[in-house]
Amino acid sequence: MNKINDKFSLLNFELIGKDIKIDFTKHLTKKDKEFFRHIKMQKYNHISLLKFYEIYSLKEKENVIKFLNNLMNKNIIISSKENNYFTCINILQSYHINNAFIYLVFSDEITSSFKKGSFFDKLGLRNILFLEEKFSYRLYQYIYNNREDNIYISIEELREILEIGDSYKRFYDIEKNLLIPILEDIKNNGEIELTYQKIKNGEHKSAKILGINLNRIVPVTVDSNSDPTLHTIDILMAKLGNNIKNFSEIYSLLIKTITEYGEDFAKEKVEYVLKNYDSDIEKNLKASLTQDNINEIIEKPDFILKKAFKSLFQMHTEILLFIQKNNLPQLSKYMFTITLYSLKDKESVTLKDKNMSIKITYNKNDISIIEFYLY
């Protein structure tokens, strides 16, 4: 049996467009989705207790804990009978309440779905989280997986998709109470605009409705037959040019990076390496795209300090002043070790403390960048 070496082997682009089914162990409530809209769906995030109270008109911390515990028990199931594929992922991985703040950690799969070109983005997972009608996500999936501009759905299929069984005897009731609100929801939150026509077994007014034709309003694209992911990789490889000797290795590494973390992240890494290194481009790019480095810098910082410093001592002082000015968590006594003072030009280091990490990119004769990550 072949050994699975890494997570990439589980995230297979070949699954996309097949019989992928996305479901929930427990349905998301409107309050869950409202919560998502008030925060950035990134790996590490935080929100003040006062803001949380304001959103839900709450006064007790116990109610906040109850809400977050319920959310942690809601998992997403992704499966495919055709490919014998099944995975269960949680939305909220963990949370911590410390003084006046709630610190949130979302799962890698959920945060990946918000990165353009990633596996979970291509499944449409991020849109499903925001659909408001109870069973919008089922019809959305059916349409999303089909990928055709015109889709016929029989009444029997529609009842199955919406899980309504024999209720709503008349099509008029299905149309008014479910179909129209769901199509509006998919348009507003699922980024797919559709029109529909009723298909009858005759021309007369009382003819039986057999099903509906859904027509996708297709936006104009430059080339609908091309794979945007491969196009992005080709552009990045062209930028790297003669700096790359092991072409196939770097090409595969970029595919893996885009699959898990999205196109924007891969572009940032290539631009960063080309800008900051004059030699050993291939070596530094591989280091920049390794798992350890990705884990440190994949998320957007909560605060950024950009400034030119005359010395590392001045940098140290400015960082402490910046923390005080922005009311950031106080650092432990040993946060700044000898590591900071051994930094060389164009080097980076990440210093970690209990409630915060600080990533420093030092440019001796230019602007240095200090990024603050709260958790």
Side-chain angles (χ1 to χ4, degrees):
M1 181 180 292
N2 293 331
K3 183 179 179 182
I4 296 176
N5 291 319
D6 54 42
K7 184 176 170 182
F8 175 60
S9 58
L10 302 177
L11 309 184
N12 185 354
F13 277 119
E14 296 301 319
L15 289 170
I16 295 171
K18 303 291 185 180
D19 67 329
I20 284 289
K21 181 180 179 182
I22 300 177
D23 213 334
F24 296 88
T25 54
K26 293 182 180 179
H27 287 295
L28 294 177
T29 65
K30 288 188 177 181
K31 285 188 175 182
D32 295 330
K33 295 166 186 178
E34 187 178 354
F35 177 57
F36 296 156
R37 288 188 176 90
H38 279 85
I39 60 173
K40 291 182 180 178
M41 297 293 282
Q42 58 188 29
K43 181 68 177 178
Y44 302 103
N45 212 325
H46 63 281
I47 183 172
S48 72
L49 274 171
L50 289 178
K51 182 65 176 178
F52 201 97
Y53 293 154
E54 180 186 324
I55 295 171
Y56 298 116
S57 301
L58 299 175
K59 294 182 180 180
E60 301 294 333
K61 186 164 70 174
E62 286 70 22
N63 292 326
V64 176
I65 293 172
K66 182 179 179 180
F67 172 87
L68 293 173
N69 284 344
N70 285 334
L71 184 57
M72 285 192 66
N73 289 323
K74 295 178 180 180
N75 298 324
I76 297 175
I77 304 294
I78 302 175
S79 60
S80 168
K81 291 182 179 179
E82 182 179 337
N83 289 277
N84 194 26
Y85 178 89
F86 183 94
T87 187
C88 178
I89 60 178
N90 57 350
I91 300 172
L92 182 63
Q93 184 174 310
S94 64
Y95 71 90
H96 317 270
I97 300 178
N98 187 2
N99 295 323
F101 282 89
I102 306 169
Y103 298 92
L104 306 157
V105 182
F106 289 95
S107 68
D108 291 335
E109 292 85 355
I110 292 299
T111 53
S112 170
S113 71
F114 287 83
K115 295 173 173 61
K116 182 181 177 183
S118 69
F119 173 78
F120 292 102
D121 168 47
K122 294 198 174 203
L123 287 181
L125 181 58
R126 64 184 174 87
N127 291 328
I128 285 176
L129 293 175
F130 293 99
L131 293 171
E132 294 179 352
E133 300 296 324
K134 185 175 182 181
F135 287 113
S136 288
Y137 75 95
R138 291 198 183 280
L139 186 58
Y140 172 83
Q141 257 184 271
Y142 188 93
I143 297 164
Y144 195 88
N145 289 343
N146 196 288
R147 306 295 174 118
E148 298 293 334
D149 293 338
N150 300 289
I151 307 165
Y152 172 74
I153 303 177
S154 68
I155 293 298
E156 291 73 20
E157 283 182 297
L158 188 61
R159 287 183 177 279
E160 184 180 342
I161 291 168
L162 301 180
E163 294 189 5
I164 57 176
D166 294 328
S167 59
Y168 297 101
K169 299 295 183 183
R170 300 183 303 168
F171 177 79
Y172 171 80
D173 295 322
I174 297 175
E175 182 180 37
K176 178 183 177 182
N177 296 294
L178 297 173
L179 184 60
I180 292 176
I182 285 175
L183 292 181
E184 187 67 20
D185 187 19
I186 290 174
K187 174 185 174 182
N188 294 333
N189 299 299
E191 301 175 356
I192 299 176
E193 188 170 356
L194 302 148
T195 59
Y196 72 97
Q197 293 84 38
K198 305 167 194 175
I199 306 301
K200 301 181 178 181
N201 65 350
E203 296 297 327
H204 53 284
K205 187 176 180 180
S206 60
K208 182 181 180 181
I209 296 174
L210 302 175
I212 58 172
N213 263 344
L214 289 174
N215 304 300
R216 189 193 301 255
I217 299 176
V218 183
V220 178
T221 57
V222 176
D223 182 4
S224 60
N225 295 317
S226 65
D227 186 332
T229 299
L230 298 181
H231 180 62
T232 297
I233 295 174
D234 289 341
I235 292 174
L236 295 179
M237 293 301 295
K239 284 187 176 183
L240 292 166
N242 295 329
N243 293 304
I244 301 301
K245 294 181 180 179
N246 299 307
F247 182 92
S248 60
E249 182 182 1
I250 297 300
Y251 199 93
S252 297
L253 184 58
L254 286 171
I255 289 178
K256 176 178 178 179
T257 301
I258 289 175
T259 301
E260 295 193 30
Y261 301 103
E263 293 177 10
D264 290 341
F265 180 79
K267 290 175 183 176
E268 288 175 10
K269 295 298 101 193
V270 171
E271 294 291 345
Y272 175 82
V273 170
L274 288 175
K275 181 180 178 180
N276 289 279
Y277 296 97
D278 298 323
S279 61
D280 294 328
I281 298 296
E282 183 172 336
K283 176 182 176 182
N284 286 299
L285 179 62
K286 287 165 69 175
S288 182
L289 296 177
T290 58
Q291 187 66 37
D292 289 342
N293 284 306
I294 286 174
N295 283 341
E296 287 185 357
I297 61 175
I298 186 170
E299 304 306 331
K300 292 182 179 179
D302 295 281
F303 296 89
I304 300 179
L305 170 61
K306 296 182 179 180
K307 190 172 182 178
F309 301 103
K310 295 179 180 179
S311 67
L312 291 170
F313 177 78
Q314 184 194 19
M315 178 192 287
H316 184 176
T317 304
E318 288 285 347
I319 290 174
L320 294 177
L321 289 173
F322 186 85
I323 289 171
Q324 184 179 8
K325 179 181 177 181
N326 291 279
N327 296 316
L328 301 184
Q330 293 300 308
L331 301 175
S332 62
K333 183 178 179 181
Y334 302 102
M335 175 65 169
F336 290 100
T337 62
I338 195 171
T339 307
L340 174 65
Y341 290 96
S342 62
L343 265 179
K344 293 182 173 56
D345 188 26
K346 298 190 184 304
E347 283 188 346
S348 295
V349 66
T350 299
L351 305 174
K352 296 183 178 181
D353 201 19
K354 183 179 180 181
N355 297 314
M356 178 170 62
S357 63
I358 303 174
K359 183 176 184 296
I360 301 168
T361 302
Y362 178 52
N363 292 302
K364 187 175 182 180
N365 299 313
D366 202 347
I367 301 295
S368 294
I369 302 173
I370 296 93
E371 299 167 318
F372 300 82
Y373 300 82
L374 304 181
Y375 46 79

